[in-house]
Amino acid sequence: VSTSRIVVIGGGVASAAAVAELRSEGYDGDLTLVSAEDAVPYERPPLSKEFLVGDPGDGAVKDPAWYQEQSVGLRLGLRATGLDLPGRTVTLSDGSVLGYDQLLLATGVRPRVLPGVEGDGVCYLRTIADATELRDRIHAAGHVAVLGGGFIGCEVAAAAIRLGKRATILEALPTLLYRALGPDLGDVMAGIHRSEGVDVRTGQQVTGVQSRAGGVTISTAGGAVDADVLVVGVGTVPNTELAEQAGLPAGNGIDVDEHFATAAPGVYAAGDVAAQRLPGRQSGVRVEHHDTATRHGRAAAHAMLGRREPFRDVHWFWSDQYDHTIQSAGLPDGSAELVIRGSLEQRSFSAFSLDGDRLRAVISLNRPADVLAARRLIARDHSVTAGQLRDESLPLKRLAAPAAAR
Amino acid sequence: METARWRDTINLDDLWEGDMIAVTVDGETVLLVNVDGTVRAYSNRCPHQASALDEGDLDGETLTCAKHLWEFNAVTGCGINPDDAQLKSFGCQVGDDGTIYVDIGR
């Protein structure tokens, strides 16, 4: 009797998507999901947004009964502590050992912890447990301080404002969302946060954080900030330790090819932790966004089922802040020309990264239809000019139509 | 027994194949889609967060919500991504003169 065992390590949406796809594509062998968290995989995007405001749904991707119906073994609340590549076994934190024929590492990322920035009233946000504690603290707080003006920090500040709290964002870089959006678009977002009442302090180096009874004092060169709670969102660290200990190449994430294969036979990696080699890219592409993680999980499942489909899905993400939606498609290229359609002042625009006649990426504010059209365009063979992209009388949808229909 | 209450909306001439449009029926916003001549009617609100589906994209049989890229089969209303979602469907028929009739169930 030929048997097959697949083990999936990690409790995020990449894992959930992988096990669901394996079953829906007819894989009927052993299937086990291991997660360090106590809950079945759930949606993380709401945790920095509506979950904090007061909608406490657990957001399970599939409810626990689904795993039972589909004969997916759940090993929750357990870490994978050891990986034996030649022996094809994983050791868990309770000492149990799982054998596998194929293994998916979807161990995700964890918040980067600043040395000394810990203690009562200092919160990092990744898990539903983190979000539950943060929600309780924000609801009880008068003043919420955020260290780091990235997506997590901006979304938490927006949630605090929605709850009627004072909010302060401290960011070392010249503007908010600087790395993700660049200086000009970042300034638009800083303007939005300021007009919603957030005290936005950019270019602020934090020199000390003092946790005291009932609050936190953050010292900066520009003065001290007293807050009831401090949320730290200063990036993440990929959870590569298990892979590294086993000898798998993992610099900034676990190195995988276009089929999610690592250097070891039968071992794959997907989601936030995977650094994927893609055509035209010098280094592995590691993406920390929900849609990519889901698509990775599905595609890795296909790879484990023996399909040879290189990953070509267009990367996409969104962030909701107040009544505004930021969306992006594609992978921007530092050397590309930035072309603006719409108006930064009116907070309705799409910023396209144009590389010759090829659209590489778009970042848009409150223009979801532009992003959909651009996403279609990026996925297909196309040729486009800066003039066409700027011309609001020309529907982007028409550029994205198949050549025959043009 | 409940009988269907057909309300007339637009004419098929105004809904090309591969197109979709939102219409208001008794205060309810209804999405009409035309996939290869087959017309379907759904609530215009995405089951995820109630975003307007007509701001999305219809590509072949795939309807994509613009807000968070949830995808649906526009003929069956079944979710593609995620696959356990479902569009709220309304009765829909096309009269001899091309009028599209919708029954929103009230």
Side-chain angles (χ1 to χ4, degrees):
Chain A
V1 181
S2 88
T3 56
S4 176
R5 298 162 302 169
I6 295 180
V7 173
V8 177
I9 309 284
V13 291
S15 287
V19 297
E21 191 71 4
L22 285 166
R23 283 298 187 235
S24 84
E25 291 297 301
Y27 171 72
D28 61 1
D30 268 13
L31 186 54
T32 304
L33 185 149
V34 178
S35 173
E37 294 185 63
D38 294 324
V40 293
Y42 55 87
E43 302 288 352
R44 289 189 209 280
L47 299 186
S48 49
K49 310 179 186 78
E50 54 268 27
F51 185 92
L52 296 177
V53 180
D55 166 27
D58 66 4
V61 180
K62 302 280 186 192
D63 58 46
W66 181 89
Y67 295 87
Q68 197 167 8
E69 287 158 16
Q70 298 288 324
S71 299
V72 177
L74 289 173
R75 305 299 302 273
L76 302 180
L78 295 173
R79 291 182 177 281
T81 54
L83 169 56
D84 174 3
L85 294 173
R88 296 206 176 197
T89 61
V90 182
T91 304
L92 306 186
S93 50
D94 65 350
S96 59
V97 175
L98 297 176
Y100 66 83
D101 298 298
Q102 298 191 92
L103 178 71
L104 179 63
L105 300 171
T107 46
V109 299
R110 60 181 179 273
R112 187 157 77 87
V113 174
L114 292 177
V117 183
E118 282 170 282
D120 197 36
V122 178
C123 295
Y124 291 81
L125 178 55
R126 176 69 183 171
T127 66
I128 198 163
D130 297 338
T132 303
E133 186 195 338
L134 180 59
R135 184 183 63 205
D136 292 347
R137 286 187 180 271
I138 290 179
H139 280 251
H143 182 197
V144 178
V146 173
L147 183 50
F151 285 113
I152 293 291
C154 286
E155 290 173 0
V156 169
I161 292 290
R162 183 160 289 176
L163 287 165
K165 311 298 180 180
R166 272 179 68 206
T168 302
I169 303 178
L170 299 161
E171 167 60 54
L173 292 170
T175 193
L176 299 183
L177 295 163
Y178 187 90
R179 285 203 182 85
L181 305 186
D184 295 343
L185 312 189
D187 276 345
V188 174
M189 293 312 298
I192 286 173
H193 282 274
R194 287 196 174 104
S195 62
E196 295 286 345
V198 179
D199 183 357
V200 177
R201 303 190 187 187
T202 53
Q204 295 285 314
Q205 290 291 342
V206 169
T207 53
V209 172
Q210 194 89 47
S211 176
R212 51 178 169 71
V216 181
T217 301
I218 306 106
S219 309
T220 75
V225 174
D226 286 318
D228 300 301
V229 56
L230 173 67
V231 186
V232 185
V234 292
T236 62
V237 178
N239 295 322
T240 55
E241 287 80 358
L242 183 69
E244 279 180 277
Q245 283 161 16
L248 289 172
N252 172 37
I254 303 171
D255 293 345
V256 296
D257 67 11
E258 294 174 82
H259 308 278
F260 300 92
T262 69
V267 180
Y268 299 80
D272 293 2
V273 79
Q276 187 169 40
R277 288 191 293 283
L278 291 173
R281 293 272 155 179
Q282 298 296 321
S283 52
V285 173
R286 195 170 69 74
V287 175
E288 296 175 8
H289 291 297
H290 177 275
D291 182 67
T292 298
T294 304
R295 289 171 185 275
H296 270 196
R298 269 205 306 267
H302 294 169
M304 287 190 282
L305 295 172
R307 295 200 209 152
R308 301 291 291 172
E309 307 156 347
F311 187 73
R312 291 285 182 270
D313 291 11
V314 178
H315 296 83
W316 176 84
F317 71 81
W318 85 93
S319 172
D320 297 331
Q321 297 169 31
Y322 314 102
D323 294 329
H324 302 283
T325 295
I326 302 169
Q327 293 177 319
S328 174
L331 290 171
D333 191 322
S335 62
E337 177 191 1
L338 205 62
V339 178
I340 305 287
R341 180 186 181 93
S343 157
L344 268 57
E345 291 72 32
Q346 290 174 23
R347 296 171 178 171
S348 172
F349 63 84
S350 293
F352 298 97
S353 298
L354 193 61
D355 180 4
D357 65 344
R358 295 302 173 96
L359 182 60
R360 295 293 180 208
V362 61
I363 298 170
S364 100
L365 183 64
N366 300 323
R367 293 208 169 198
D370 282 7
V371 180
L372 277 179
R375 179 170 162 268
R376 251 211 237 185
L377 206 56
I378 293 166
R380 294 170 193 187
D381 193 27
H382 69 273
S383 170
V384 68
T385 67
Q388 288 174 318
L389 293 173
R390 277 193 205 101
D391 180 2
E392 297 242 42
S393 68
L394 181 69
L396 287 178
K397 236 175 161 171
R398 189 142 29 107
L399 296 173
R406 221 173 267 163
Chain B
M1 204 178 102
E2 193 74 19
T3 52
R5 295 181 192 177
W6 296 107
R7 313 295 164 91
D8 60 305
T9 62
I10 57 170
N11 195 281
L12 190 55
D13 291 343
D14 299 318
L15 183 66
W16 293 10
E17 289 189 12
D19 230 344
M20 59 181 174
I21 194 166
V23 298
T24 304
V25 179
D26 283 352
E28 173 90 35
T29 313
V30 175
L31 181 74
L32 300 175
V33 301
N34 182 341
V35 180
D36 296 333
T38 304
V39 180
R40 294 277 190 265
Y42 301 103
S43 165
N44 194 42
R45 295 154 67 87
C46 179
H48 181 211
Q49 289 187 354
S51 308
L53 290 170
D54 66 318
E55 291 171 11
D57 185 39
L58 182 62
D59 187 9
E61 290 190 354
T62 303
L63 170 63
T64 305
C65 177
K67 187 88 173 178
H68 301 113
L69 296 197
W70 280 33
E71 293 172 340
F72 305 89
N73 180 307
V75 177
T76 64
C78 292
I80 299 168
N81 177 27
D83 61 6
D84 49 4
Q86 179 76 42
L87 293 178
K88 186 182 175 190
S89 171
F90 295 126
C92 181
Q93 56 178 239
V94 181
D96 292 339
D97 62 351
T99 301
I100 300 169
Y101 294 92
V102 172
D103 173 18
I104 61 166
R106 60 181 157 85

